[in-house]
Amino acid sequence: MRGTPPGVRTLSDYRREWLVKDVVAGVVLTTLLVPQGMAYAELAGLPPITGLYTSVLCLLAYAVFGPSRILVLGPDSSLGPMIAATILPLIAADGDPERAVALASVLALMVGAITLLAGVAKLGFIADLISKPTMIGYMNGLALTILIGQLPKLFGFSTDADGLIGEVADFASGVADGKTVPAAVTVGSLGIVLVLVLQRWLPKIPAVLVMVLLAMGASALFDLDDHGVRLVGELPQGLPPLTMPDIRFDDLAPLSVGALGIALVSLADTISNASAFAARSGQEVRGSEEMVAIGSANLAAGLFQGFPVSTSGSRTAVAERAGARTQLTGIVGALLIVLMLVLVPGLFRSLPQPALAAVVITASLSLADGAGTRRLWQQRKAEFLLCIAAFLGVALLGVLAGIAVAVGLSILNVFRRAWWPYNAVLGRVPGVEGYHDIRSYPDAEQLPGLVIHRFDAPLFFANAKSFRGEVLRLARGEPPPRWILIAAEPVTDVDTTAADVLEDLDRTLNELGINLVFAELKDPVRRKVERYELTRTIDPGHFFPTVEAAVAAFREETGTDAEWTPGPR
């Protein structure tokens, strides 16, 4: 039924045989949701309990509005540093946790509103603003930022530094000053090794849960708190009430900037994960519905002391491997977290903070894409440089500035390709239909007096002079051509600036005794040419439906019976 939330539509055709699989998958998923939720909350500069509140609300909201049957939303390692970078500068020097939660909740509401409106307006293309090379660079920089930021916690102390270089300096200074807590380093380091080993060699075992349980056991057995190791402590009992966060008016502007960046990353992450898992299950990706769903999830989290969320590829993979069939898996996970908070809120009181740092560090390692970076270096140096620039943007300027750098670089890369597009002289290749680039076919044949030129981009203000320069270069060839034929099939647009340049170019060529001729110009572009009144200077008879027709007209007009000759001009 139209207008029915996707989760309700799924419920209408739910199969009884899915129930056991969904419940089991929900139990398995919860073992990952709890420690990661708390760890990513601390990564965002918030109390651990807010990660559990966020997990519950976003899972329930996505179960109602989410179009994917198994996609899992929740606190995310890629968003944590962005949330922290947005709210921490707004918090007073004493680091008031209540104010931090209020700011994060408003941030979630803003992200929810942005993504919800974008979904209603069907603006799914916004997620394409970051190209893959710049996203790889951004994620590599984010992984390094997270890793460095968690090292002090892993070593048992804290720093007040801002920025990657400052954090490295403060961490080194702390180690040099003897602030390291040996027990904390031991717990955290062993936790990292254990998670990585289990994920590598025994992927079906919940590595994070095993590490967390062992860390809690070690805490009780060795009294780690007496050895200087910080523990999570008792969590508040129950769920928070519906809350409208109270912040200052002057907080809205900086929160809005952060919300835009977070929404963009969240949408890109959601669409890419939805596409990957939909391809496995044969589902279609409904981008606008995904945006509405993630917006709803963020709104729900923001109204119950939560923070912005995104999809998680790792948690979705866990649910999939555990046999999840529908979003009932997420509902089961949410209910189990609620039961834990209501009945046993002290369950994780003895969890060492370095263990949470280990969870975050192992997650950050999964964000880095070394193989993708090497592939860019091997396949396309220009895109490798974009990747490195995005990486440096995050590492040196911070995560919020880094996302702006990534988006800016992606847009500039598109503009660069349109500004300096590929162009080629074409020739006839015996035995191959059509006309082809003489750089690819050095022995391609050309007709004396005729140059066939292809310009692979729309003609607009930024590249019109580049087009003009290339055509004039061809006009200065020896012997000079009589016709320069533009194979215009790739020219999808001509703006007014380009029209003026074409008019001037045609006059210049006419003075040299050269005709400017077009073939395969698309009908919408041809109508624009006529509307610009270019046919006042360019002969209306010099527009041909095909290159072959133009070549035949060239022979007829010039009266040439010359043969096609091999070799480039």
Side-chain angles (χ1 to χ4, degrees):
M1 294 176 61
R2 294 188 64 181
T4 304
V8 178
R9 293 201 299 265
T10 300
L11 185 63
S12 65
D13 60 0
Y14 193 86
R15 300 178 188 176
R16 183 179 300 176
E17 59 267 25
W18 292 347
L19 181 60
V20 173
K21 293 182 178 180
D22 278 341
V23 171
V24 171
V27 173
V28 173
L29 181 63
T30 306
T31 64
L32 191 61
L33 290 172
V34 173
Q36 282 193 345
M38 291 192 294
Y40 297 162
E42 291 211 329
L43 178 62
L46 300 166
I49 186 63
T50 59
L52 302 184
Y53 297 159
T54 302
S55 298
V56 170
L57 272 302
C58 73
L59 286 172
L60 294 177
Y62 191 83
V64 175
F65 296 101
S68 171
R69 288 182 180 271
I70 65 168
L71 210 60
V72 178
L73 264 66
D76 189 69
S77 58
S78 64
L79 299 188
M82 300 182 73
I83 298 168
T86 303
I87 67 173
L88 292 184
L90 303 177
I91 300 174
D94 59 356
D96 181 5
E98 290 186 5
R99 176 161 162 74
V101 171
L103 290 168
S105 297
V106 172
L107 193 60
L109 293 174
M110 287 182 169
V111 172
I114 292 170
T115 50
L116 190 61
L117 291 174
V120 171
K122 301 187 184 304
L123 300 178
F125 67 89
I126 291 175
D128 298 328
L129 285 177
I130 309 179
S131 66
K132 187 171 183 180
T134 49
M135 180 57 90
I136 290 175
Y138 174 78
M139 286 300 179
N140 287 344
L142 197 60
L144 180 63
T145 300
I146 293 172
L147 176 62
I148 297 301
Q150 292 296 303
L151 286 179
K153 185 186 295 185
L154 190 73
F155 277 63
F157 60 92
S158 60
T159 65
D160 297 323
D162 183 24
L164 185 67
I165 296 176
E167 288 179 343
V168 170
D170 274 22
F171 170 69
S173 177
V175 172
D177 292 342
K179 294 182 180 179
T180 300
V181 178
V185 177
T186 302
V187 170
S189 301
L190 290 177
I192 292 172
V193 172
L194 180 62
V195 170
L196 294 178
V197 168
L198 290 179
Q199 287 178 341
R200 177 68 177 84
W201 300 107
L202 297 170
K204 292 186 177 181
I205 293 179
V208 172
L209 176 64
V210 171
M211 185 273 290
V212 165
L213 292 177
L214 289 177
M216 290 167 60
S219 176
L221 184 63
F222 299 107
D223 294 323
L224 293 181
D225 56 334
D226 292 336
H227 291 81
V229 178
R230 300 176 186 175
L231 306 181
V232 169
E234 190 91 12
L235 298 176
Q237 188 172 25
L239 288 175
L242 177 67
T243 305
M244 184 55 67
D246 182 23
I247 62 170
R248 296 193 294 262
F249 180 78
D250 57 0
D251 293 329
L252 294 178
L255 286 176
S256 298
V257 174
L260 286 171
I262 292 169
L264 182 59
V265 172
S266 180
L267 289 175
D269 202 21
T270 298
I271 298 299
S272 62
N273 278 316
S275 300
F277 286 97
R280 298 185 193 181
S281 60
Q283 288 184 268
E284 288 186 14
V285 177
R286 299 189 288 275
S288 295
E289 286 190 359
E290 288 290 0
M291 295 169 82
V292 169
I294 196 169
S296 302
N298 276 285
L299 289 176
L303 292 173
F304 288 88
Q305 299 184 23
F307 51 87
V309 298
S310 180
T311 55
S312 168
S314 62
R315 290 191 289 273
T316 303
V318 167
E320 183 185 51
R321 286 197 301 267
R325 290 294 180 269
T326 70
Q327 285 297 328
L328 181 60
T329 296
I331 294 175
V332 170
L335 293 178
L336 288 176
I337 295 175
V338 171
L339 288 175
M340 184 200 78
L341 292 175
V342 171
L343 301 179
V344 282
L347 183 62
F348 289 92
R349 70 165 67 90
S350 60
L351 177 61
Q353 291 281 3
L356 290 181
V359 173
V360 174
I361 288 173
T362 53
S364 74
L365 297 177
S366 68
L367 294 177
D369 188 355
T373 306
R374 287 192 299 272
R375 187 168 60 251
L376 290 175
W377 169 256
Q378 295 165 355
Q379 296 177 352
R380 189 156 183 164
K381 298 296 191 294
E383 294 196 343
F384 171 78
L385 292 177
L386 283 176
C387 174
I388 296 301
F391 168 81
L392 293 175
V394 178
L396 300 179
L397 302 178
V399 290
L400 289 179
I403 192 63
V405 169
V407 172
L409 289 173
S410 295
I411 294 173
L412 284 175
N413 191 34
V414 173
F415 191 72
R416 178 188 64 83
R417 292 179 182 180
W419 193 356
W420 296 306
Y422 187 80
N423 61 89
V425 172
L426 308 182
R428 193 179 70 171
V429 181
V432 182
E433 187 176 353
Y435 296 84
H436 303 278
D437 187 349
I438 64 173
R439 282 187 287 243
S440 300
Y441 296 89
D443 296 327
E445 298 174 341
Q446 295 179 269
L447 200 59
L450 175 68
V451 174
I452 306 174
H453 178 60
R454 190 185 70 214
F455 190 79
D456 292 349
L459 274 170
F460 68 115
F461 67 93
N463 64 21
K465 290 184 179 179
S466 172
F467 172 81
R468 181 180 185 274
E470 184 61 23
V471 171
L472 290 178
R473 184 189 69 79
L474 295 173
R476 290 191 293 267
E478 289 295 336
R482 300 174 68 178
W483 275 26
I484 294 180
L485 170 59
I486 307 301
E489 193 273 337
V491 179
T492 56
D493 191 20
V494 176
D495 72 0
T496 55
T497 302
D500 291 341
V501 170
L502 285 176
E503 185 174 2
D504 177 69
L505 175 62
D506 185 60
R507 287 197 181 99
T508 302
L509 292 177
N510 288 341
E511 292 173 0
L512 298 173
I514 301 172
N515 288 322
L516 182 63
V517 183
F518 293 86
E520 301 180 352
L521 199 64
K522 292 178 170 61
D523 288 343
V525 182
R526 174 65 187 274
R527 287 193 290 271
K528 289 182 180 180
V529 167
E530 292 172 349
R531 189 164 64 248
Y532 299 151
E533 298 182 348
L534 277 177
T535 49
R536 292 177 308 176
T537 56
I538 301 176
D539 186 345
H542 284 170
F543 291 90
F544 297 92
T546 65
V547 174
E548 289 80 4
V551 171
F554 169 77
R555 284 186 177 277
E556 182 178 348
E557 181 176 309
T558 59
T560 182
D561 57 358
E563 296 296 323
W564 291 87
T565 58
R569 282 180 55 84

